[in-house]
Amino acid sequence: MSVLDWIFIIGIALSIVALLGSGYFLVQFFHKRSLLKKLPNKKFKNKKKNRKIARKKQQLMKQKKKSIRLFWVMSFVTVVLAGGMSYLSYYQSMNLTTEDSDSVVKGYYLLRDFEDQLIIARDKSDEEEKLQKNLRYLATSMASYGTKKASDVNSEEGQITLNRYYNSVKQLGMNASTQTKNFFGNQELVDSFLADIKKAQVYEKETFDYYKVNESAFKEEK
């Protein structure tokens, strides 16, 4: 699990403890108030007994005030923690996990490297054997996206968007893996795959838009 997952779990646990604590102190408040009401208000002839009752009242009053004060403190802590965990849950659902982020970054470069190698193969701008090796590696890497699945901490829409992108990369890789020896000088085949890359990049853009990924940062790095 990621650090955020642990923070979320711990936060939820603490908010539950705080909620139980606020409930406990509220019960204590009413209990002390009930005990206070049971104490006699009239004065007795026995001064010692009166002093004892007065001390008991004072003690219960302090305990009652302390209970209500702690109730509000624990209630505040509960609200803060619950609010924080709600925001964290929303943040996780709208942002890529570390694993998904790495997959998206890798997919971005795989598609563009594959596109570059296809154009070189079409134009016969490099050795055929070398190009076949490069294309085979890229095809295998893309086909491996069949094992990837969007994290379930993401929103349902986000998972659908990301899984659609993963599937398009996987399908492209699987199709390419059967054609690695046929790209060299084959413009029709290359153009067909270039069109498929564009389709995959449409899903890529949808993913970038949904998760607010800055594509320009990739271009600068490349």
Side-chain angles (χ1 to χ4, degrees), residues 111 115 172 193-204:
L111 287 177
E115 183 178 26
L172 186 61
F193 272 85
L194 289 176
D196 289 339
I197 290 174
K198 295 301 179 187
K199 291 176 184 177
Q201 287 174 336
V202 170
Y203 295 130
E204 178 187 75

Side-chain angles (χ1 to χ4, degrees), residues 21-136:
S22 64
Y24 170 78
F25 288 118
L26 184 62
V27 170
Q28 286 297 304
F29 168 78
F30 285 113
H31 177 62
K32 301 304 178 184
R33 191 173 71 170
S34 175
L35 291 176
L36 270 170
K37 287 181 178 180
K38 290 179 181 179
L39 290 175
N41 291 318
K42 65 179 183 178
K43 296 284 185 178
F44 294 96
K45 292 181 180 180
N46 190 327
K47 292 183 179 180
K48 187 176 180 181
K49 188 174 183 179
N50 287 334
R51 284 197 298 270
K52 186 177 179 181
I53 292 172
R55 281 197 301 270
K56 186 66 175 177
K57 280 186 178 181
Q58 190 177 23
Q59 184 183 27
L60 288 172
M61 283 293 292
K62 285 182 179 179
Q63 290 175 348
K64 189 180 79 165
K65 288 180 180 178
K66 183 180 179 181
S67 294
I68 196 64
R69 186 168 61 250
L70 288 173
F71 163 73
W72 286 115
V73 169
M74 296 304 285
S75 296
F76 176 75
V77 171
T78 301
V79 171
V80 170
L81 285 172
M85 293 311 101
S86 295
Y87 175 77
L88 182 58
S89 178
Y90 172 77
Y91 176 84
Q92 285 185 299
S93 71
M94 298 302 293
N95 288 272
L96 292 168
T97 62
T98 301
E99 185 177 350
D100 283 331
S101 180
D102 290 343
S103 297
V104 168
V105 171
K106 183 180 177 182
Y108 177 90
Y109 291 115
L110 280 173
L111 287 177
R112 280 143 189 86
D113 288 345
F114 183 53
E115 183 178 26
D116 291 342
Q117 291 298 304
L118 283 177
I119 293 172
I120 293 172
R122 181 192 64 190
D123 299 340
K124 300 181 180 180
S125 302
D126 207 339
E127 296 177 7
E128 183 176 2
E129 186 177 344
K130 178 183 175 182
L131 287 169
Q132 285 182 9
K133 183 179 179 181
N134 292 344
L135 288 166
R136 190 179 302 110

Side-chain angles (χ1 to χ4, degrees), residues 159-173:
Q159 290 181 54
I160 292 172
T161 301
L162 192 52
N163 285 331
R164 190 187 296 132
Y165 170 59
Y166 285 163
N167 187 62
S168 67
V169 175
K170 174 208 74 174
Q171 198 61 52
L172 186 61

